[in-house]
């Protein structure tokens, strides 16, 4: 049972435009959500997180939106840059010290 | 600042050989420690996690085991590797009782032939 789902395996966006990566979850007990960025042959890098008591968190070009009623979160990257090309994982936690990861979305930003 | 180390970076092993991957964390005490595997084309699968020395929880029954002999050392082992053990192994840490944000090491690429 995949509790965290990233239904788009890949996304292609032009440089300067907005990238929107989506993530859906099924467990209503999740109360903390994160996004990680991963380059090939490297460990994931933490990008941004959001607690379930908020619906938006912003850090520079990155904004995470949480819609609890829809059990959906998204990561917006504005403006997209070629260096943003990577695999993005969303993850969720239910206060158990464990994260449940999605399967990832490969973002490609082209000139 | 905290840093996490993994070695080796890459490893090629024959089927049936033993395995030992090591992970150490610096700059923090009493961390939660985790082992993940990323198989080709798949997400991150949690293999083991530990909340303290000698305390190991296994998430997936498999050919692997983990040990935590010291507070900031986490070891992933196997007595006999299988072809299906090939993958990218990642160690991560988080603050005990913190926000659950995990920080990952650089990973080990294991190829079993």
């Amino acid at each position: 049972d995949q509790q965290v789902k990233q239904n788009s395996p890949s996304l292609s966006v032009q440089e300067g435009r907005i990238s929107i990566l989506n993530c859906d979850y099924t467990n209503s007990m999740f109360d903390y959500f994160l996004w990680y960025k991963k380059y090939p042959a490297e460990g994931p890098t933490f990008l941004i997180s959001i607690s379930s008591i908020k619906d938006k968190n912003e850090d520079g070009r990155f904004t995470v939106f949480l819609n609890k009623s829809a059990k959906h979160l998204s990561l917006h990257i504005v403006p997209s840059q070629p260096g943003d090309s990577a695999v993005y994982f969303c993850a969720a936690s239910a206060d158990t010290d464990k994260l449940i990861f999605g399967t990832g979305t490969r973002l490609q930003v082209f000139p | 600042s905290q840093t996490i180390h993994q070695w080796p970076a890459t490893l090629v092993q024959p089927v049936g050989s033993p395995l030992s991957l090591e992970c150490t964390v610096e700059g923090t005490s009493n961390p939660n420690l985790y082992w993940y595997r990323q198989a080709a084309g798949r997400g991150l699968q949690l293999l083991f996690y530990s909340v303290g020395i000698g305390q190991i929880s296994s998430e997936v029954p498999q050919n692997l085991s983990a040990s935590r002999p010291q507070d900031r050392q986490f070891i992933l082992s196997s007595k006999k590797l299988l072809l299906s053990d090939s993958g990218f192994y990642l160690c991560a840490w988080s603050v005990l009782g913190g926000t659950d944000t995990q920080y990952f090491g650089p990973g080990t690429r294991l190829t079993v032939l």
Side-chain angles (χ1 to χ4, degrees), chain A residues 55-92:
Chain A
D55 55 19
K56 178 182 175 181
N57 189 25
E58 189 173 355
D59 184 3
R61 296 187 298 115
F62 302 92
T63 303
V64 56
F65 295 91
L66 176 62
N67 183 333
K68 289 185 289 295
S69 61
K71 293 189 176 66
H72 177 84
L73 70 156
S74 61
L75 174 68
H76 293 208
I77 306 174
V78 182
S80 300
Q81 300 173 354
D84 296 329
S85 297
V87 177
Y88 289 78
F89 291 96
C90 67

Side-chain angles (χ1 to χ4, degrees), chain B residues 7-31:
Chain B
W7 63 89
T10 60
L11 190 60
V12 180
Q13 292 284 98
V15 170
S17 65
L19 172 74
S20 181
L21 302 181
E22 190 163 344
C23 170
T24 58
V25 180
E26 296 178 357
T28 186
S29 297
N30 305 315

Side-chain angles (χ1 to χ4, degrees), chain B residues 33-76:
Chain B
L33 295 173
Y34 308 84
W35 279 112
Y36 288 87
R37 176 170 59 201
Q38 183 187 17
R42 300 183 66 180
L44 299 174
Q45 181 185 35
L46 179 63
L47 302 175
F48 301 94
Y49 76 97
S50 171
V51 298
I53 296 175
Q55 302 179 60
I56 310 294
S57 295
S58 175
E59 290 297 299
V60 182
Q62 59 207 324
N63 187 41
L64 302 168
S65 62
S67 62
R68 185 170 178 174
Q70 300 180 46
D71 180 45
R72 289 171 289 177
Q73 184 185 29
F74 207 22
I75 297 172
L76 183 69

Side-chain angles (χ1 to χ4, degrees), chain A residues 36-46 83 85-87 89, chain B residues 4 6 9-10 36-38 44 88-91 103-109:
Chain A
Y36 285 84
K37 173 182 180 180
K38 186 183 182 300
Y39 294 116
E42 294 184 10
T45 302
F46 169 70
S85 297
V87 177
F89 291 96
Chain B
I4 179 168
Q6 282 186 250
T10 60
Y36 288 87
R37 176 170 59 201
Q38 183 187 17
L44 299 174
F88 192 55
Y89 288 83
L90 291 155
C91 181
Y103 302 94
F104 286 82
T108 294
R109 169 70 61 193

Side-chain angles (χ1 to χ4, degrees), chain A:
Chain A
D1 177 32
Q2 191 73 23
Q3 297 186 65
V4 178
K5 300 177 184 179
Q6 294 178 256
N7 293 316
S8 297
S10 64
L11 175 67
S12 188
V13 173
Q14 189 173 29
E15 181 178 6
R17 307 293 287 267
I18 184 171
S19 294
I20 301 177
L21 298 106
N22 294 305
C23 181
D24 297 294
Y25 62 95
T26 58
N27 188 344
S28 58
M29 298 302 291
F30 287 146
D31 59 2
Y32 190 65
F33 304 88
L34 309 89
W35 283 96
Y36 285 84
K37 173 182 180 180
K38 186 183 182 300
Y39 294 116
E42 294 184 10
T45 302
F46 169 70
L47 270 179
I48 191 169
S49 63
I50 188 167
S51 165
S52 60
I53 62 174
K54 302 176 73 174
D55 55 19
K56 178 182 175 181
N57 189 25
E58 189 173 355
D59 184 3
R61 296 187 298 115
F62 302 92
T63 303
V64 56
F65 295 91
L66 176 62
N67 183 333
K68 289 185 289 295
S69 61
K71 293 189 176 66
H72 177 84
L73 70 156
S74 61
L75 174 68
H76 293 208
I77 306 174
V78 182
S80 300
Q81 300 173 354
D84 296 329
S85 297
V87 177
Y88 289 78
F89 291 96
C90 67
S93 169
D95 196 28
T96 60
D97 291 325
K98 293 191 293 183
L99 295 180
I100 308 299
F101 283 86
T103 52
T105 296
R106 182 176 302 278
L107 173 66
Q108 182 179 6
V109 180
F110 59 93

